[in-house]
Structure formats: structure tokens, C-alpha cells
Amino acid sequence: MVMGLRRWCAAVVAALLTGLLTPGAAQAEVQHPRQEWLRQSTAGLFLHWGMFTAPKHLNCAEWERDVTGGGWTPDYWIDEARKLGASYVVLATFHSRLGYARPWPSKIPGSCATERDLLGELVRAGKAKGVKVVLYMTDDPQWHSEQGVQMLDSAAYSAHRGEQVDLTTREGFGKYSYELFFEVMKNYDDLAGFWIDNDNEYWERNKLYEQIRQLRPTWLLSNNNEDTPIMDTVSNEQKTGMFPSYDYPAATFTPMPRLSEACYKLPTTGDWWYDGGNHAVDTRLNTGRYITNAGSSIKSLMAETPMVNGRMPAQQEAYNNFMASWVPPIRESIQGVEGAGYMYGGMQPGFWNDGAHGAITINPRTGKQYVHVITRPRADFVRLRDNGYRVTSVRDLRTGERMRFSQSAGFLTIQGITAWDEYDTVFAVETAGQQGFYTGVKASATSSSNGFPASHLTDGSYETYWDAGAAQPVSISLDLGRRRAAAFLAINQRESSPTHARVSFGRPEDSSRIKDYQLTASVDGRSWWHVRSGALPSARGTQFIDIGSQEARFLKLTVLNTWGGPQAPVYFKQLKVDEIRVGHSYPRGAGGGVLEAEDASRSGSVRGESCAACSGTRQVTGFGGERDAVTFRDVSVGTAGTHSLKLDLTSAEPSVVSVSVNGAPPVSVAVPRDRPDVPAPTSVAVPLNAGRNTVKVSGTGKLGLDRISVGGLPPSTYTPKTTLTVQPHGVQWVAPGQQSVKITARLRLDADDQIDKVSLAPVLPAGWTLTGAPATRASMRLAGLLEGTWTATSPAGTDVGSVSIPVAASFQLLGSDRKVSGTVPVRTRPADRVFVREAEDSANQFGSTGLTGCGSCSGAEKVRNIGGSADASVTFPNVTVPETRAYKLFIQFTVNGPRSYFVTVNGGAPVEVKLDGVGNNTPYVAEIPVTLNAGANTIRFGNDGAGAPDLDQIALA
């Protein structure tokens, strides 16, 4: 077998050398027929299962004996995958943390290989039932002795190769695993491809992927956590922390039509492999992930943890059984569909009315759309942007019930919903197509990156896009050809950055989408008038700017800034837009909805007038005080209590709206200036009786009332999404005695909620004093900012000791208190140290590295992804010492295996510091001599050629 494999490999190499195989032609296509089966898929099942599956085995034969003796059968795994609606299985047994076992017979020595062909049996079982099998392969030898026993046999492999090969190094492991790829390709015709956990330099240097393309042209290649051009699929591993927690696409970065996976654990806790525990599965979280991924054309690669005998722990098996009955009634809405609101058309996904959130899928062949309400609204209706589709019918997919709906002002309202599914209420929506958009619009911009011109904005193709070339502000001009009516813009930004600001594998991420904008219009291209200013949410899918009724030839959108900050340099100012369309009218159907202002009783000087962007195309204006009012006499709710009353209002100037319920004294709320012909929501908390209520709306200023609606209050656990940035970041190590710490904080509102009575200030420990008053604002809306700077001073005559200074932002949401906070930890540095600073301190410069949590590290954080390029470094400026002389530099770090820093002091020659250790969560300390100048110095940690250890802290003595 070995000679046969060697001859086969030799033939491949000879073909490459003679030009019979052409690696240059093997670059990955974004779309290719070999991908079609995966494009039609919804999900896959990821199985981490190997020698270290509990109970751990350190002997290959004993593990195989217990696998077979326990009754392992491939059909069980295939059947469990089918219950989940999965069309493929990824088997991760040759895994760095599971013992490097190969579940197939092999004559290539180096790590565990079974005598029983477990892989072959699984491939055959999958083929019989229409489930593909993909093999996981690791690039990583660093965990070779994690259990205290060497799992890689370098001597045996060296004898096999006829040369010395150290499998515990990346180069040696690369040679070994490279040969395994060819063995698998030779022996398993029906395998569907490889799922590769990052790249090995040996593979890339020897054109492994190009050879796979030539030898197995129908096989897929998937890579973990990076978009490698030759791969078919980008897999995004275990994203968490989004809001809602199930909205996995918010943390991904891969624009369609690139194939993308969401790779996540179904068990809520525990390892990726069976660790002996029967861990819970959060049904709501995982069904939500399943649907939102389908709504973004992302495949759900769900990881389960089979035991040694192959069976799933009881709670995972129960979840699979639940999915077996939950998926089939809505199968047409999640299989063979694409995400809607993106390049395949469709209405707008995301946040809808009254706290609702969901996704939309579309069948590209029939045009039918499916509205998935995952988080139900606090009302009996769902209202979402229709994106120009004229709706003809709506049906509850699970029950078959025909639903009442109305459509106007760019919104579809599905009414009278009573049968909510606990996890996903699905409405099948038939349309008569998309209407109301101009064709032939020409675009230009004040800045473009080479190869990505503004003409791509209106070319109708989502595979071409405009790149602003990192310019901000930047203006986009749209030429309608002649003076025409314009009502709104529909904008599809490039989905190449996450909408959820997070740290992923140590790298900070943030949205590169439009935040603040201005829109102007012109007839001749020389004289411009202001149309609208505002902010767009950092959200996926089509976004809209309603502009009332404009008669213009030219529209100019000026993007003032984007959501991402400089802490995420990969995304900072990286604005990219796929398409911008200009709409001239909204589709209408079945009336405007319920509780329209024009249908209510009027008193005083109020009057109805046209408003194309309003529900029902009309609003009521003329408010001038309490006598000028609109009264709704049949506002009905099922239960008494405090409810949320949402008013859709236009406002040509800063105004005040007042609401009186059942004759009670009115409650007044400020309304910011916007347009007189484009409504925006304002909500107030009001007490309502069960049954009918009378609601009177009055106001002052240039107000217009479009409609009202009633919903429940947000739960007490809901806090609108904000970004609170507090500096300094990281533990502040200060000298003995009284000390002062300068603190700055910045609160940004990221959600489309209005918050009131906003205050931002540090909360001091006992005995400390504060210079500076709290920063306050009466109210904030989307993208609003509040900033403050203070000086906190410790008590005189004592050391700081160990304290934490919270910085709290407090505000009200519909009259209810909410709070978010950050912390500045302060510690007295040890007596034998003249300087201490955390690696994650905001005073440092991080380049392309990033922060990550580390529970055992000082300050519970560290900096990772150091090394591999000149930019992947950490620089400590202002390292201050009292005199010029030699010091001891203590470096606190974590590392798994041998790696090096190159340490540069004040721009001098780099000094290599070789380090070694076991486990990336175990801090070690190294000591080197350095010579420093009196005052401020600069120390840089990097390794331009290879990965370096993670850095926790430095100190000087």
C-alpha cells in the first residue's frame, strides 16, 4: 500500500512538473458546480470524536477495541444528522486535542490508525442515505503531549521517510499530514472533501490545495476562521455575545455568494468533544442560530459530542429528536432557499416592530419569501420593510392560516397573529414582484479604490462593489438622467465585516457600515438643497433612507463616518457598498393598517394631509397645543397594565408630543427635528385598562401624526445595545502613596431605541475624590454620543492598594431605569518593581494583534496573535524609569511549545528571547537585562517571521 501511494504521489508530482496539472488554473472559484450540493444544504453535523473522548485512551488499540465493543455504527450518526436536517457530516478525529487518531487503516506511521475502516464505513453509510461525509484535518502539532504522553511517533515516521522528521514541529507535521491527504484521496472515492483547521506552511509551499483540486475536482475544501482564496467555504467558528444571542450572522464577515458556514457547539457548556458530561442544549439559542444562518445563506455546521460508542449524550439526542419533528413543517422555507434582503432580493431582515427580530428566506426559482419571526413582537402584528415587493398573500406556513395584512409607506404589516410558534413563526409571502425603483441610474463618488469604481453601485450586480478607498467623509452622487420624483434610497452594503463589535481569536472586529450621513439634492448638479441627515444602524441586509417627496435629477449621499473604530484597523473606514437603488414610490395594498391618525377623531386646528412616506399615505398636522388633538376611542388591549404606545411622528423642528389616556393628565416627550414628510417612531409608557381605552394625542411644534400602535413593555432584562469605551483599559499599576488617575469614557447608543435622562460618571471607592461633573444628555437616539473626562484621586497618606473604579452609564428606557458600566482596576505596584504595565493596557500600540480573555493572567486578559509580520507586534511607549542604567525586564507570557519574541528597546537591535511552555492559559515569567534611559523609553515585542508567545505583562526591577 505504501509503495502504491508513493507511486501515485510521484505521478502527481511528475504531472505538476511537466505541466499536465496546472496549479495556476486551480484557484478557487467563488461559484463552481462542485459546490452545488452544499449550496442546496441547510446544515451539517460536526463530530469531534477520537482517542481523548471520555474516558480518555492513550493506547490506539484499546480505544478501537472500546469503540467496536461499545457498538459503534455509522448509520446512527447518519440518522442523527438527518434528524437535524443536515445533509453532510464532518468527522474530526485526526484532531490536535483528541490525540491525532486516524479512523482508517494506514501503513504510514506517525500517530494512531485504526485497523477497522471507520471512515470508509461512514462514507458508505452516508452515500446510501444521501448524506455527504467530509474529513477534518489539522495543521497543528502543538498538543502532541498535552496528556503527558507523546502522541506523535517521529522515529517511526522518520524510518518510513528515510530521513529525520520531527513531527512535533510545524515543518515535520506538515510533511506527515501532507502524505495523509494523498492516502485519503487515493482510497476514498466517495468522500466529499476536507475541512481544514487552518493552514500549514509546508502544505502551502508544496501546493497541496492545488493538487487536491486536480486529483479530486469534485471535492470541497473548507478552512476555519479565514477566507483563503482557494477554499470553497469559509467556516466561522463559535461566535458568541451577539444580540439577540442567536443572531450568528452578526459576527460573520463573508459576503455572498461566497459559501460560508457557522460552526458552533450545540451543548451549552463543556468541550467540543465528549468530556463525560451530559451538557444541556439550549433549544431557543440553537433553533435561532439555525434559522438566522439560513436567512443569510450560511450553513449551520452543528457540533455534537458523541461518546466512545458513537451515541450522543441524552440531551443532545433529545434535541435531535425535537428537530426531527420541528423542521419538516417548515422545510420549504429553509432548504433550497437563500437569505433574503441581500443579493438574492427579498424584504428586510433584522429588528422589526415592538422588539421583534427575525430572518427572511427566498426561493430564487419561485420568488416566494418566508418571514421567520424568531423573537415575537410585544404586539399581535409584525411590521417590516417590504423592499418594493407588492404582496399578494400571506400564509402561516405551519398552520396554513391565511393572514390579514396591509401594505403602505414601504412596510408590510401582518396582522392579527395569535398562533405563535415558540421558536420560529413562519409566514409564506407571495408577491407580484418588486416595483417602484428606477433603472439606468448612474453613480459617481469623490473617492474610489482602484478596481472598485462607483459605477459598480448601480450596475445591478452584487458580485461587483464600490470601495471608498478608506476616505471619510466621502460622497456618492446618483444621476437619475432627468428631474424625477424620488422617495427613498435602498442601500446594500458589503457584508464583509461583522455588525457585532467583538474580539475574535484575539483580533478586534467592528462594523465598517455607514453611521452618520447627509443627503442633498439638486436639479442641475450645481445648486444643492439639504434633504435629510441621520444615522443608519449597523445592521446586515438592505437599509433604507426615506426622503419624502423630492423632485430632483441628482441625489448626493455623503457618508460622514462608519461604525468601526481605530481599535479594529482591518475594518476602520473600510466602507464598501454593493448596490444603491433609488425608489420613486411604495407598493400599496389592503389599506394602511390599524389606528391610523386620519381615521381618528380630530379637534381644534388639526387637519389631514398627504404624506407618501406615511402609513396609509396620510398624516394629521396642525398641532399647536392641548386643544389641537387627535383622539383614538378604541385602543383595545387584553390585559390591564402599563403598555408601550408607539407614535409614528413627523417633525420639521424640535417638538413635544403629549399623550393622555382615559382622561388622565398628559405625559409629554421631546421629539427631535427630522423631516415633515417622513415619520419616525417615538414611544411612551402608558397605563391601559383591559378592553377599550381612549388615547388623546396633542403637541407643540411642527408635528405630524401618522399612526399609533400598542405593545408590551420591553422586559426588565432588556437593555438597548450600547458601546461604552472606558480608558485607561487594563489594570493600572501605580507608585506608592497618593495617586491620581485620569479617566475618560464614551457612551454610544447602537440601537434604534430612544433613551432618556442619560448620565455618565465614575463611581469612586470610599475616600477617593473626583474632579469633573457627570456627563449628561436629556435623550439619545441611534448613534448618539455622550463623553466625559474626570480625574480620580486616592486618599492622602496611603497607598492605593487594590481597588476598582466603575464607570457607570445610567438612563431610562420608557421610564424604566437601565445601566451599563465599565471598570478601571487600580493596584499599587510591588515594592521591588519600578514599572509595571499590562500588555492589554490602552496606552500600548497593538498593530494587527488583539486582546483576548485569559482567566489565569494578570488582569484576566492578554495580547495574542503576535508575530508573523512586522505589524503583528506590541509596543510599550512611555516606559518610564528614574535613571539611566541596566534593569531587569520581566516578561509574563503564555505559550504552547517553543516560540520566540524579538525585543527592541528604543529602536535598537532586536534581541531574540526564546521561550517554551505547555498550555496557552498558564502564565510563565522570563527575565532579560535591558538598558534604559532616564524618563520615557519604548519597548517593542514582535517576531516578523514566525508566531510569538502571547503577552500578559511586563515589569522592571
Side-chain angles (χ1 to χ4, degrees):
M1 179 176 175
V2 174
M3 291 306 297
L5 177 61
R6 285 178 174 169
R7 284 194 295 271
W8 195 62
C9 292
V12 172
V13 172
L16 281 167
L17 293 174
T18 58
L20 297 177
L21 299 178
T22 54
Q27 294 301 305
E29 297 85 356
V30 171
Q31 293 179 292
H32 190 277
R34 67 172 169 269
Q35 303 164 357
E36 190 57 31
W37 71 264
L38 185 56
R39 292 191 179 276
Q40 295 302 312
S41 301
T42 301
L45 176 59
F46 207 170
L47 300 173
H48 289 72
W49 177 80
M51 286 185 69
F52 296 166
T53 294
K56 293 176 183 175
H57 290 73
L58 301 178
N59 178 279
C60 189
E62 291 177 0
W63 171 63
E64 182 178 354
R65 179 200 65 203
D66 288 346
V67 168
T68 298
W72 180 88
T73 171
D75 287 290
Y76 172 80
W77 281 352
I78 299 301
D79 291 341
E80 293 301 293
R82 295 174 71 193
K83 290 177 184 178
L84 289 166
S87 56
Y88 64 107
V89 168
V90 179
L91 179 60
T93 303
F94 185 67
H95 187 287
S96 58
R97 303 296 301 278
L98 280 168
Y100 301 97
R102 291 168 291 162
W104 68 87
S106 175
K107 297 297 177 64
I108 303 172
S111 66
C112 165
T114 60
E115 293 186 8
R116 181 179 176 183
D117 191 359
L118 304 171
L119 176 61
E121 291 181 38
L122 184 63
V123 170
R124 289 189 291 275
K127 183 178 181 181
K129 297 181 178 180
V131 176
K132 303 280 188 179
V133 175
V134 176
L135 183 64
Y136 172 103
M137 296 290 281
T138 184
D139 75 312
D140 186 6
Q142 66 173 315
W143 304 99
H144 56 87
S145 58
E146 183 184 12
Q147 306 301 321
V149 176
Q150 179 58 256
M151 305 307 297
L152 297 175
D153 190 343
S154 297
Y157 186 67
S158 296
H160 163 80
R161 290 277 299 198
E163 61 176 316
Q164 282 300 117
V165 181
D166 184 352
L167 299 189
T168 69
T169 66
R170 290 193 62 81
E171 178 75 6
F173 188 81
K175 287 184 179 180
Y176 169 57
S177 50
Y178 176 88
E179 193 170 346
L180 299 183
F181 277 98
F182 288 96
E183 179 179 60
V184 169
M185 284 191 287
K186 179 176 183 291
N187 293 333
Y188 298 97
D189 291 344
D190 293 323
L191 197 69
F194 292 113
W195 199 99
I196 297 171
D197 200 349
N198 300 315
D199 299 312
N200 185 285
E201 298 82 355
Y202 183 90
W203 301 347
E204 294 176 312
R205 192 169 65 250
N206 287 276
K207 304 293 184 183
L208 171 64
Y209 306 139
E210 290 83 352
Q211 295 182 67
I212 294 172
R213 281 278 173 263
Q214 297 289 346
L215 294 167
R216 292 295 187 184
T218 64
W219 287 18
L220 292 184
L221 291 173
S222 179
N223 204 2
N224 190 23
N225 289 316
E226 63 181 51
D227 192 345
T228 305
I230 198 169
M231 300 290 178
D232 293 287
T233 309
V234 183
S235 200
N236 299 276
E237 181 181 355
Q238 195 65 10
K239 312 299 186 185
T240 59
M242 296 75 72
F243 180 81
S245 59
Y246 58 74
D247 189 17
Y248 207 100
T252 64
F253 53 84
T254 310
M256 305 172 190
R258 189 80 158 120
L259 269 172
S260 181
E261 286 176 330
C263 169
Y264 55 92
K265 293 191 304 178
L266 289 184
T268 304
T269 56
D271 292 322
W272 283 78
W273 49 89
Y274 180 66
D275 56 14
N278 182 22
H279 301 285
V281 178
D282 187 330
T283 301
R284 172 139 188 87
L285 173 66
N286 288 300
T287 54
R289 287 169 164 173
Y290 193 90
I291 298 301
T292 53
N293 289 332
S296 294
S297 297
I298 295 173
K299 312 308 172 186
S300 288
L301 182 54
M302 300 168 284
E304 294 197 331
T305 60
M307 298 179 284
V308 169
N309 64 4
R311 291 195 71 88
M312 308 304 177
Q315 296 193 70
Q316 294 174 53
E317 194 171 76
Y319 178 78
N320 298 350
N321 291 335
F322 161 77
M323 289 288 281
S325 61
W326 186 76
V327 168
I330 61 169
R331 192 182 305 278
E332 70 177 72
S333 73
I334 54 174
Q335 295 188 355
V337 296
E338 299 287 357
Y342 307 97
M343 68 175 288
Y344 299 101
M347 296 179 287
Q348 186 189 45
F351 288 98
W352 301 322
N353 64 292
D354 298 279
H357 184 272
I360 301 174
T361 54
I362 187 169
N363 186 316
R365 295 170 297 283
T366 66
K368 183 184 289 188
Q369 299 183 50
Y370 302 90
V371 176
H372 296 264
V373 185
I374 305 168
T375 296
R376 58 165 291 185
R378 300 179 298 272
D380 65 352
F381 65 93
V382 174
R383 190 170 188 246
L384 63 151
R385 290 297 302 229
D386 59 31
N387 199 10
Y389 288 90
R390 187 169 68 81
V391 176
T392 57
S393 72
V394 179
R395 177 173 56 89
D396 186 313
L397 189 59
R398 291 186 185 276
T399 67
E401 178 186 1
R402 292 283 177 181
M403 305 302 299
R404 292 187 294 115
F405 68 92
S406 58
Q407 191 176 12
S408 66
F411 286 88
L412 167 67
T413 303
I414 305 173
Q415 302 169 357
I417 307 170
T418 58
W420 296 100
D421 182 79
E422 185 176 359
Y423 304 115
D424 180 25
T425 305
V426 188
F427 299 105
V429 179
E430 301 275 4
T431 77
Q434 204 171 24
Q435 60 185 42
F437 289 102
Y438 287 117
T439 59
V441 176
K442 299 187 182 302
S444 60
T446 55
S447 178
S448 294
S449 179
N450 286 339
F452 304 95
S455 58
H456 288 169
L457 289 166
T458 55
D459 64 359
S461 170
Y462 285 81
E463 297 189 52
T464 62
Y465 59 93
W466 167 70
D467 186 325
Q472 287 179 18
V474 62
S475 294
I476 302 165
S477 295
L478 302 169
D479 183 357
L480 307 185
R482 57 183 173 83
R483 184 172 181 171
R484 291 178 166 183
F488 64 95
L489 300 183
I491 305 170
N492 276 89
Q493 299 169 84
R494 192 78 173 159
E495 305 293 349
S496 54
S497 67
T499 59
H500 169 56
R502 66 193 299 272
V503 172
S504 175
F505 289 87
R507 294 181 176 87
E509 298 179 346
D510 208 345
S511 174
S512 58
R513 292 164 180 80
I514 299 168
K515 186 161 75 79
D516 297 303
Y517 69 85
Q518 293 177 352
L519 191 67
T520 54
S522 173
V523 173
D524 56 11
R526 295 185 297 274
S527 299
W528 298 83
W529 68 87
H530 178 266
V531 175
R532 196 176 188 192
S533 299
L536 288 180
S538 177
R540 289 170 57 85
T542 312
Q543 302 300 315
F544 298 89
I545 301 176
D546 293 295
I547 58 177
S549 181
Q550 302 295 320
E551 292 285 337
R553 173 176 174 176
F554 300 97
L555 297 172
K556 182 186 294 183
L557 175 66
T558 299
V559 179
L560 302 177
N561 48 52
T562 49
W563 282 94
Q567 82 287 348
V570 173
Y571 301 106
F572 186 45
K573 296 186 177 181
Q574 298 304 307
L575 175 63
K576 301 176 177 66
V577 181
D578 281 319
E579 291 292 307
I580 296 183
R581 293 166 299 149
V582 180
H584 56 76
S585 60
Y586 304 102
R588 293 190 61 193
V594 296
L595 299 177
E596 299 286 340
E598 63 268 24
D599 297 332
S601 300
R602 289 177 247 168
S603 59
S605 300
V606 297
R607 60 193 178 275
E609 65 175 45
S610 300
C611 173
C614 293
S615 176
T617 69
R618 294 188 66 78
Q619 65 174 331
V620 173
T621 60
F623 293 97
E626 188 175 353
R627 293 182 178 179
D628 303 318
V630 176
T631 302
F632 299 84
R633 303 193 185 280
D634 189 10
V635 179
S636 297
V637 294
T639 57
T642 304
H643 293 70
S644 171
L645 181 72
K646 186 175 75 171
L647 305 100
D648 289 341
L649 300 165
T650 62
S651 53
E653 62 184 29
S655 306
V656 173
V657 65
S658 299
V659 177
S660 172
V661 177
N662 297 326
V667 176
S668 297
V669 179
V671 181
R673 177 182 178 179
D674 203 335
R675 287 196 57 84
D677 50 0
V678 176
T682 295
S683 296
V684 295
V686 297
L688 296 175
N689 300 325
R692 298 176 63 181
N693 295 265
T694 298
V695 175
K696 179 181 178 182
V697 181
S698 58
T700 59
K702 294 185 179 179
L703 275 178
L705 177 61
D706 176 14
R707 69 194 294 270
I708 68 171
S709 60
V710 176
L713 290 176
S716 59
T717 54
Y718 170 70
T719 299
K721 183 180 178 183
T722 60
T723 297
L724 177 61
T725 304
V726 177
Q727 290 189 335
H729 176 80
V731 176
Q732 300 302 295
W733 295 93
V734 297
Q738 186 179 34
Q739 297 293 328
S740 294
V741 180
K742 183 179 179 182
I743 299 172
T744 62
R746 182 175 184 261
L747 178 72
R748 185 183 73 194
L749 179 60
D750 299 345
D752 205 4
D753 294 283
Q754 179 171 318
I755 58 176
D756 304 298
K757 299 181 180 178
V758 191
S759 179
L760 179 64
V763 180
L764 295 184
W768 286 61
T769 58
L770 186 69
T771 302
T776 61
R777 282 189 65 175
S779 63
M780 288 170 56
R781 288 198 173 190
L782 177 68
L785 295 174
L786 180 62
E787 300 176 275
T789 301
W790 309 268
T791 299
T793 305
S794 66
T798 62
D799 294 344
V800 167
S802 177
V803 299
S804 292
I805 304 175
V807 180
S810 59
F811 50 87
Q812 289 192 341
L813 174 70
L814 289 171
S816 180
D817 292 334
R818 299 289 193 273
K819 180 184 288 187
V820 296
S821 64
T823 301
V824 180
V826 185
R827 309 283 187 269
T828 302
R829 71 174 180 243
D832 61 344
R833 299 290 189 264
V834 296
F835 180 89
V836 181
R837 187 186 293 167
E838 301 296 321
E840 68 270 15
D841 195 299
S842 52
N844 298 332
Q845 299 161 10
F846 300 105
S848 61
T849 67
L851 312 187
T852 190
C854 173
S856 58
C857 293
S858 173
E861 283 187 300
K862 63 179 179 178
V863 179
R864 68 176 294 178
N865 292 321
I866 303 171
S869 68
D871 188 50
S873 61
V874 183
T875 300
F876 291 72
N878 297 315
V879 177
T880 306
V881 293
E883 56 183 319
T884 301
R885 65 174 175 85
Y887 291 85
K888 296 178 181 178
L889 173 63
F890 296 93
I891 306 167
Q892 190 157 306
F893 65 94
T894 70
V895 72
N896 195 52
R899 295 194 178 195
S900 294
Y901 291 121
F902 285 83
V903 180
T904 305
V905 177
N906 294 326
V911 175
E912 184 176 10
V913 182
K914 296 182 178 181
L915 302 169
D916 201 354
V918 178
N920 282 318
N921 290 312
T922 302
Y924 300 91
V925 178
E927 175 188 334
I928 64 170
V930 293
T931 299
L932 302 176
N933 302 322
N937 297 265
T938 299
I939 302 177
R940 176 185 181 272
F941 291 78
N943 185 332
D944 294 358
D950 296 346
L951 186 58
D952 181 14
Q953 181 197 79
I954 67 168
L956 292 166

